[in-house]
Amino acid sequence: MITYEDRRLRALAEDGRWHELLAAYRQGRAAAVAEAGEETAAALTAPLGHLIAYAAPPELAVRLFDRDGGEGTVAGVADHDAGPLWEVLATRHSWLRLAPLLGPAPVRRLVAHTRVLLGEDLSYGAEPDPEGVPLRLEPWEAAGWEEAARVREYLPGGGARSALLTLPANREGLGEVELPAPAARTDGRPDGARVARALDHLSALAPWAQVVCVRGQAPLAAALLARGRRVVGGYLPFALAYPALVRAAAVGRTHGCAHGRLRLWRALAAMAGADGSDGLNGPQGLDRGEVNALVERMRCFTWQEPAAGLHHLHLALEDPASGVAWAVSGSQEL
């Protein structure tokens, strides 16, 4: 049911009275924090936050994330309605408009990487990413999907449209495959620390999925997670797997696709042994050249499961140079 308060706020938006709406958001959020805590306050005020992030002029919309309103009034990285409020904002304005206005570093970074996913090249004129994740898409990042499908499409009154996470999406290019007998999971020696870091990053990328690693080829890793020895599966280029891996972190509403891109770059850097953990790559950490080389040689195997959920990911990633393969498999009904 649409309440009187809903109608009042929508009328203010239609009249362009954004300062009053921002004041209402801040007052409501602070009161809810005091009464019910941060998590509840974020949820209660998120619909109004969405409206402001979507439709207000950028000079005012960015103030959702400013602390000048006082304790409890500021939207954080995790504040979300149909998606994170910072992602809503990032889909509405270019980096050129937002860069001089955005303050908080975590929000600023996520907005920048959202704009990168949407096709902007921020490699000149923007502050470097603290982990060295490039501020423009590598060719293999852009190749597998249309620009309009890379981030949720937000709607003015709330809600969003987004592509389903489905890998594989259908049987096209796949065939009957007999997987090898499952092998023991590797302890990674002599690369135990590198394997462990990669597993941690892949698990963070898709916390709702299982992740394993073996010495051997991609089908051997898949055999540890597949529900049967005989599957419908096949190989595909990494560029076609990339969109699903980025979306994996954005299943649900809390996280945006920028989270997926950042987490995937961390995972790829760890898989390549190029995440700066040995102290050799300087303050920016990961080595982009090593990640690109890994992607170029990577072999990717995907397979179908008979009872896949609405969102599903079944993928094995093999590095022929190291003889190690990782598999990620899971599904969710949302």
Side-chain angles (χ1 to χ4, degrees):
M1 181 177 68
I2 298 176
T3 66
Y4 167 78
E5 184 66 9
D6 292 330
R7 291 195 297 271
R8 184 182 74 86
L9 295 176
R10 290 183 185 181
L12 290 175
E14 290 170 1
D15 291 342
R17 295 162 67 177
W18 296 109
H19 287 282
E20 293 176 58
L21 284 168
L22 179 64
Y25 173 86
R26 288 175 164 179
Q27 291 166 7
R29 198 181 190 288
V33 167
E35 182 177 339
E38 183 73 26
E39 185 175 346
T40 299
L44 289 174
T45 56
L48 178 54
H50 177 108
L51 177 64
I52 294 169
Y54 184 93
E59 293 79 8
L60 186 135
V62 297
R63 294 182 62 193
L64 286 168
F65 310 100
D66 287 347
R67 298 190 179 278
D68 61 356
E71 186 176 356
T73 65
V74 61
V77 167
D79 283 51
H80 66 280
D81 186 33
L85 299 187
W86 53 264
E87 189 174 68
V88 178
L89 176 67
T91 63
R92 302 297 294 160
H93 307 284
S94 70
W95 182 249
L96 185 65
R97 291 291 305 278
L98 294 173
L101 306 171
L102 277 170
V107 171
R108 187 178 178 86
R109 185 188 188 201
L110 290 167
V111 168
H113 281 281
T114 304
R115 295 307 310 173
V116 169
L117 279 168
L118 290 171
E120 283 198 55
D121 182 350
L122 306 187
S123 56
Y124 299 97
E127 60 268 26
D129 182 81
E131 293 180 89
V133 178
L135 289 173
R136 66 178 178 186
L137 293 180
E138 296 295 312
W140 49 266
E141 292 185 274
W145 51 358
E146 296 295 328
E147 184 176 303
R150 295 174 191 164
V151 180
R152 296 178 181 98
E153 179 190 354
Y154 289 100
L155 306 176
R161 300 188 187 98
S162 60
L164 289 178
L165 164 59
T166 54
L167 188 70
N170 51 51
R171 295 174 66 103
E172 184 177 354
L174 307 181
E176 293 283 340
V177 177
E178 183 78 22
L179 295 176
R185 302 184 186 193
T186 184
D187 61 5
R189 293 189 180 97
D191 302 318
R194 177 168 68 89
V195 167
R197 288 194 301 274
L199 285 170
D200 285 345
H201 287 305
L202 286 169
S203 297
L205 179 71
W208 43 271
Q210 290 181 279
V211 181
V212 297
C213 180
V214 298
R215 289 275 179 197
Q217 297 179 332
L220 188 62
L224 283 173
L225 299 181
R227 296 186 181 180
R229 291 283 299 281
R230 182 172 291 276
V231 298
V232 175
Y235 286 92
L236 75 166
F238 182 78
L240 296 182
Y242 175 80
L245 288 167
V246 170
R247 289 187 185 120
V251 169
R253 297 179 298 173
T254 305
H255 295 127
C257 286
H259 280 293
R261 182 172 189 251
L262 291 169
R263 290 173 180 174
L264 181 53
W265 269 89
R266 292 183 196 119
L268 292 171
M271 292 162 72
D275 59 351
S277 57
D278 57 5
L280 300 179
N281 290 317
Q284 290 190 342
L286 63 84
D287 186 320
R288 187 174 67 181
E290 290 292 333
V291 171
N292 283 332
L294 170 67
V295 168
E296 185 174 355
R297 67 179 182 263
M298 188 102 74
R299 302 189 74 219
C300 304
F301 178 84
T302 188
W303 72 96
Q304 286 189 326
E305 291 287 356
L310 184 63
H311 297 269
H312 59 266
L313 174 63
H314 307 295
L315 180 68
L317 303 167
E318 173 193 335
D319 180 7
S322 65
V324 173
W326 292 261
V328 183
S329 180
S331 66
Q332 277 198 344
E333 293 284 359
L334 292 178

